[in-house]
Amino acid sequence: DKLLLDISKNRLLLSNPVIVIDPGHGGKEHGTHTPCGIPEKIFNLQISKILFKSLQNKIPKVRTYLTRASDKFVGLDD
């Protein structure tokens, strides 16, 4: 398996790489909760957005997508 990015030479190893980030849970699906009651879906979305922006900034030639960018339910078929 080749890495997506050859860091030592700062070049992509794939011709049309795509990264899809799926925060999971959202809307009516809360996931688990922290001991103080914060739903998993909140943390997943926040971390996914940070990762999304970081990838866009660091390797802009890679098409990067989020399956959801807000607190909404996205079914498996979608």
Side-chain angles (χ1 to χ4, degrees):
D1 293 309
K2 290 185 177 183
L3 295 173
L4 177 66
L5 182 66
D6 181 349
I7 295 172
S8 64
K9 295 178 184 165
N10 195 25
R11 65 184 176 95
L12 294 173
L13 297 177
L14 299 173
S15 58
N16 292 311
V18 175
I19 297 174
V20 178
I21 303 165
D22 182 12
H25 306 299
K28 65 184 180 181
E29 291 186 346
H30 295 260
T32 191
H33 292 79
T34 66
C36 60
I38 301 170
E40 175 187 357
K41 68 179 185 171
I42 302 298
F43 294 107
N44 289 354
L45 184 57
Q46 288 176 348
I47 292 168
S48 296
K49 285 181 174 181
I50 291 168
L51 175 61
F52 176 75
K53 286 181 183 180
S54 179
L55 289 170
Q56 285 188 318
N57 290 333
K58 293 183 191 265
I59 46 176
K61 292 182 180 180
V62 174
R63 290 179 294 156
T64 308
Y65 301 96
L66 281 168
T67 57
R68 69 179 180 92
S70 63
D71 184 19
K72 67 177 188 176
F73 175 77
V74 179
L76 293 177
D77 291 337
D78 297 329

